[in-house]
Amino acid sequence: MELTLALDWTPNVNHAGLYLAQIKGYYKELGIDPRFISTDIDAYRKKPIQRLADHEVDLAIGPSEHLIEYRLLREDPVPVVAMATVSQHETSAFVTLQSSGITRPAQLDGKTYAGYKTLLETNLITEMIRNDGGKGDISLITPPRLSVFDGFLQGEADTCWVFVPWEVAIAENRGIPLYTFYLNDFQVPYGYSPLIMSREEIVTEKKEAIHNFFKATAKGYREAAAQPEATARLLVEHIDHSNFEDIDFIELAMHSISGTLLNNAGQWGVMRYERWRQYTHWLIQKKMLAFSDKRLLTEKEADVTTFYSNDFLN
């Protein structure tokens, strides 16, 4: 059965397990023919979760806050559900150039942040700055999404939000050292990112196919975690994309991400209630979640047990 998945970015090592399962035939063995849709197709003008909402795909990759927004806050809520987390540990961070002399978040007051026009990003960086003793006074610019990081490296902004195993590895490979500020290090309990999500009715209608998809995907990610260099070589050999042309860089990126993919029990994809609850509770307490009419989301309206399922990872 064909399943379509909207990737959260252009192809990169976040997607290593997906590509590895495809390259090694794990999907084919289980009767699954996955099609991965990259943000290249429209220069990321449309969010992957919007493609899921519009019934263009069966699965989409994105952060926790996208799920919360689409499931709870929109005028036309979408029954999206998280099926797996790609990484167990926080792999995103706000970054600054070491040459800027900005060594901690408090120093971002009066500076410029290059953002992606997504829910909560400015709230999160503002809270991080305040928790580090600053005022949270930062200006926002919004370049085209796929241009944010290159613009940052060229000095168009003082900070941006990145995935460490990819963009920080890019900077390191170019000899550009960065400072990284993780939200959890500054009392901001960030949730899971990225997640693989679907819609409840798709999970019901295509139950066996979805289960087989995650069975193969989990196998791919476990192997990617255990064999980062071998995975890097296969990606460079088989994925026809400019992101996978430099074997030394891909090995660097794979080593960066490999230790984040599995939990302490060696499982891939499994999510915990406490992490979902802590992040959602914090967002509600900080009054960051509001409906279109400005009414704030309440605890009673945010049953995090409905946000995710580990059932297809067994």
Side-chain angles (χ1 to χ4, degrees), residues 238-257:
H238 292 275
I239 305 304
D240 183 20
H241 193 279
S242 59
N243 285 356
F244 289 108
E245 293 178 348
D246 183 343
I247 182 61
D248 292 334
F249 164 66
I250 297 301
E251 285 186 359
L252 174 68
M254 278 305 308
H255 277 291
S256 178
I257 201 172

Side-chain angles (χ1 to χ4, degrees), residues 38-97:
S38 168
T39 54
D40 284 322
I41 65 172
D42 66 351
Y44 205 148
R45 291 187 180 89
K46 192 171 188 177
K47 294 178 186 176
I49 195 170
Q50 186 62 51
R51 296 189 186 281
L52 186 61
D54 291 342
H55 300 275
E56 296 176 12
V57 297
D58 301 297
L59 300 145
I61 302 181
S64 304
E65 51 268 26
H66 283 188
L67 183 145
I68 294 169
E69 176 188 3
Y70 276 69
R71 186 177 180 91
L72 297 182
L73 303 179
R74 291 168 58 91
E75 291 183 8
D76 53 340
V78 182
V80 289
V81 58
M83 310 297 295
T85 178
V86 171
S87 296
Q88 292 291 325
H89 308 293
E90 189 177 13
T91 56
S92 68
F94 292 90
V95 294
T96 61
L97 298 172

